[in-house]
Amino acid sequence: MKQTLQLKTSQHLTLTPQLQQSIKLLQMSTLDLGAELERYLLENPLLERADGGDGADEADTAPLPPMPVNSSPAGSESTGESSSDSSSEASRNDSEQGEGELLGDWGGSGSGNRNDDDDEFDPILNAPCRPSLREHLTAQMGEIQLSQRDRALMSLLIDELDDDGYLPTPLADIAAELPLELEIDSDELECLRRLLTQLEPTGIGSRDLSEFLTLQLQQHPAPPAVRQLAQDMVQHHLPLLGNRDFAKLRKLLAISEQQLKTAHALIASLRPRPSSGFDQGETHYVAPDILVVKRQQRWVARLNQGTLPKLRVNQMYAGMLQQKGSGHNLGGQLQEARWLVKNIQQRFDTILKVAESIIERQQAFFELGEVAMRPLILRDIAEELGLHESTISRVTTQKYLLCSRGLFELKYFFGSSVDTDSGGECSATAIKALIRQIIDAEDVNKPLSDGAIADKLTAQGIQVARRTVAKYREAMQLAPVSQRKAF
């Protein structure tokens, strides 16, 4: 085959370092952005916090996120009206400066005056810390006389607990995974599991809900007859109790309605999860990026000034680098610093544009609530602003909006639509709100089925199938008709 040379023209997208940084900053939440900027400040000497009032170049400046304690003044801006933007900005700067001095005097990293007697005081170390469930159980295990072997096996069982405090793994499977030379069988593990269930909180390590409720009832001070009836119900008829099939329960147990009510009230007072009271997850804090206020009968978006980062390029170092020429080894960091300041400004400009477009389309929501939510998809906003749908997705993820109705993620305002009899459209969020209203207003003695709810929505001009109602109801964590029926 003869070799030849050919020329071809093609297009491909190249992600420059500046574009990569812009995309990375855009998809971050406000709190993640603050942590990322702190890293940049430590690594890049050309970046510094903008203190304000020193004639810094605005082109190389962007705001720095305040500490979490400063978020409340920013949130209060959503309810106040200002006659002069310049005067309100000046008063806010004075307030932030005063708070900064206060924080410095309290014992943080500030350089304010501080009593020498408090040099060793650390408020973080003195803050109360609730132990985890595992730590709580391990501490109790230390108060029990156990051999080293039993202590190790009980620690193994504690590690096998799920988030609810149950032990779902069969003991035979746990024993099979241990070395054969230890000669551990499921009977030995069962003895230790029963000991584990007696620790506080009672029932830790139960195999299922029936066993957990039984353990609670055994220690409950209720009358013996009521307690025994409740134990029979949770041990042998728990599915009927969950489905609220009270008529069949009365027939099987041969009891009166009053006896059933008393036993049911006792069971309802018990804890549903062994780990109740112990938070297994990490607390996540949310700072609103957008504040929604009403101006001249229209709802408008404003950036939350309390979360705007304030960074700038150090002009003294930048001037020194320009005098020495671009060959200096800090030239790359100077360019990175300028990119960062520019990308931060672009990030918040994009968030504000997207939020303004969303709020303009969802004016009825801010006036009337969820029932007035309009259908909206990412493509609608992307076409209006001339951006890609992936950009809108990044902007609306982990970015939050604070209004008089609460705190919402920007992605909350997007949803599918259902056609109405009048030829219009109704959003899925509005349908969910209507379903909730119908369920809240129903007769608890005769709750409505999913089909009956669908019929009511059809009467209002919204064509929704029964399975769609069931899907929306489950998404809102509303109980089915059998469990909503009053006793």
Side-chain angles (χ1 to χ4, degrees):
M1 182 177 181
K2 184 179 179 181
Q3 296 182 350
T4 59
L5 295 177
Q6 295 180 349
L7 294 177
K8 291 184 178 180
T9 10
S10 61
Q11 293 182 346
H12 65 279
L13 178 63
T14 302
L15 293 178
T16 63
Q18 182 179 6
L19 182 57
Q20 292 177 10
Q21 184 187 76
S22 176
I23 294 174
K24 180 181 179 181
L25 296 178
L26 185 62
Q27 64 188 9
M28 284 184 174
S29 67
T30 299
L31 297 182
D32 291 340
L33 176 65
E36 183 71 7
L37 296 185
E38 289 295 335
R39 185 183 67 81
Y40 276 111
L41 285 168
L42 292 175
E43 296 179 354
N44 194 333
L46 275 300
L47 278 174
E48 65 178 1
R49 291 180 173 87
D51 297 328
D54 56 357
D57 185 5
E58 293 184 0
D60 287 339
T61 304
L64 183 77
M67 296 179 64
V69 293
N70 292 338
S71 60
S72 55
S76 63
E77 293 177 2
S78 61
T79 58
E81 296 288 341
S82 175
S83 59
S84 171
D85 293 339
S86 59
S87 62
S88 63
E89 184 68 25
S91 62
R92 184 165 57 249
N93 290 338
D94 293 340
S95 174
E96 291 176 355
Q97 183 179 1
E99 291 175 359
E101 294 173 356
L102 217 66
L103 291 171
D105 294 340
W106 175 250
S109 58
S111 58
N113 296 329
R114 186 177 57 185
N115 192 337
D116 293 338
D117 296 336
D118 295 333
D119 286 344
E120 296 182 357
F121 175 73
D122 188 345
I124 301 299
L125 297 179
N126 286 271
C129 181
R130 183 176 179 84
S132 65
L133 177 61
R134 189 184 190 284
E135 294 171 344
H136 181 65
L137 295 174
T138 303
Q140 295 181 73
M141 190 173 59
E143 302 175 358
I144 305 175
Q145 292 184 355
L146 294 172
S147 65
Q148 185 176 0
R149 173 190 175 95
D150 290 344
R151 195 176 303 276
L153 291 177
M154 186 172 285
S155 297
L156 176 63
L157 295 180
I158 293 175
D159 291 337
E160 290 289 335
L161 298 176
D162 60 14
D163 293 339
D164 293 331
Y166 289 105
L167 186 64
T169 307
L171 297 180
D173 294 348
I174 298 178
E177 295 178 357
L178 298 175
L180 295 178
E181 56 269 19
L182 295 179
E183 298 181 353
I184 298 174
D185 56 17
S186 57
D187 293 337
E188 182 178 2
L189 292 177
E190 176 62 20
C191 293
L192 294 174
R193 188 193 70 83
R194 291 183 179 181
L195 179 60
L196 179 62
T197 61
Q198 301 304 315
L199 299 181
E200 181 63 31
T202 302
I204 287 291
S206 298
R207 287 166 293 191
D208 51 35
L209 178 61
S210 176
E211 181 184 6
F212 176 52
L213 294 177
T214 301
L215 289 172
Q216 293 182 79
L217 288 170
Q218 290 173 353
Q219 300 182 7
H220 201 280
V226 178
R227 191 169 64 244
Q228 182 60 46
L229 177 58
Q231 289 184 24
D232 291 341
M233 292 171 64
V234 300
Q235 288 177 353
H236 306 106
H237 307 290
L238 193 59
L240 292 177
L241 188 64
N243 293 328
R244 303 177 72 86
D245 195 346
F246 301 125
K248 192 171 184 179
L249 273 174
R250 286 183 56 191
K251 183 178 180 180
L252 289 175
L253 297 174
I255 56 177
S256 65
E257 182 177 351
Q258 183 59 40
Q259 288 177 307
L260 182 57
K261 284 184 177 180
T262 305
H264 179 265
L266 175 59
I267 296 172
S269 66
L270 303 177
R271 292 182 293 121
R273 298 185 302 125
S275 63
S276 298
F278 289 88
D279 187 9
Q280 301 293 329
E282 181 182 357
T283 302
H284 297 279
Y285 297 92
V286 172
D289 304 89
I290 298 294
L291 303 177
V292 180
V293 295
K294 197 170 187 178
R295 297 287 177 81
Q296 298 179 354
Q297 305 303 317
R298 298 291 295 178
W299 294 94
V300 296
R302 294 174 52 187
L303 287 173
N304 184 0
Q305 298 296 325
T307 60
L308 289 179
K310 293 184 179 178
L311 290 182
R312 69 181 177 194
V313 176
N314 189 301
Q315 296 301 313
M316 182 181 68
Y317 288 163
M320 293 172 58
L321 287 176
Q322 290 177 357
Q323 292 177 2
K324 293 183 179 180
S326 59
H328 198 276
N329 56 1
L330 292 179
Q333 291 182 314
L334 174 61
Q335 185 63 43
E336 181 188 58
R338 288 175 172 168
W339 284 349
L340 180 64
V341 172
K342 180 179 179 181
N343 287 334
I344 290 175
Q345 185 63 44
Q346 182 179 358
R347 175 187 187 272
F348 284 96
D349 288 344
T350 305
I351 292 175
L352 180 60
K353 289 180 181 178
V354 172
E356 288 175 340
S357 180
I358 293 174
I359 293 170
E360 184 62 30
R361 291 171 176 264
Q362 301 290 3
Q363 288 285 319
F365 166 81
F366 298 102
E367 288 288 344
L368 305 174
E370 294 179 330
V371 293
M373 183 78 79
R374 292 182 54 191
L376 186 63
I377 58 176
L378 298 177
R379 185 185 304 171
D380 297 335
I381 305 298
E383 292 177 352
E384 178 180 339
L385 301 180
L387 300 173
H388 196 273
E389 290 184 42
S390 62
T391 302
I392 305 300
S393 177
R394 293 188 181 96
V395 170
T396 55
T397 302
Q398 298 186 54
K399 314 299 186 303
Y400 292 86
L401 174 152
L402 180 64
C403 64
S404 59
R405 296 191 175 275
L407 184 68
F408 302 93
E409 189 178 13
L410 292 182
K411 195 175 289 292
Y412 169 78
F413 295 92
F414 295 87
S416 57
S417 62
V418 174
D419 295 333
T420 62
D421 292 343
S422 61
E425 293 180 335
C426 183
S427 72
T429 304
I431 295 175
K432 290 179 181 179
L434 291 173
I435 292 175
R436 185 182 295 275
Q437 288 183 358
I438 293 173
I439 291 178
D440 291 341
E442 70 184 0
D443 183 359
V444 293
N445 294 316
K446 295 181 179 180
L448 299 173
S449 64
D450 294 337
I453 295 175
D455 294 338
K456 282 185 170 292
L457 292 174
T458 302
Q460 299 181 28
I462 303 174
Q463 297 290 340
V464 179
R466 183 202 59 80
R467 60 180 178 274
T468 305
V469 172
K471 181 180 70 174
Y472 289 166
R473 177 182 52 74
E474 292 173 357
M476 294 185 291
Q477 297 183 350
L478 297 176
V481 57
S482 60
Q483 298 182 15
R484 297 200 310 270
K485 185 177 181 180
F487 193 88

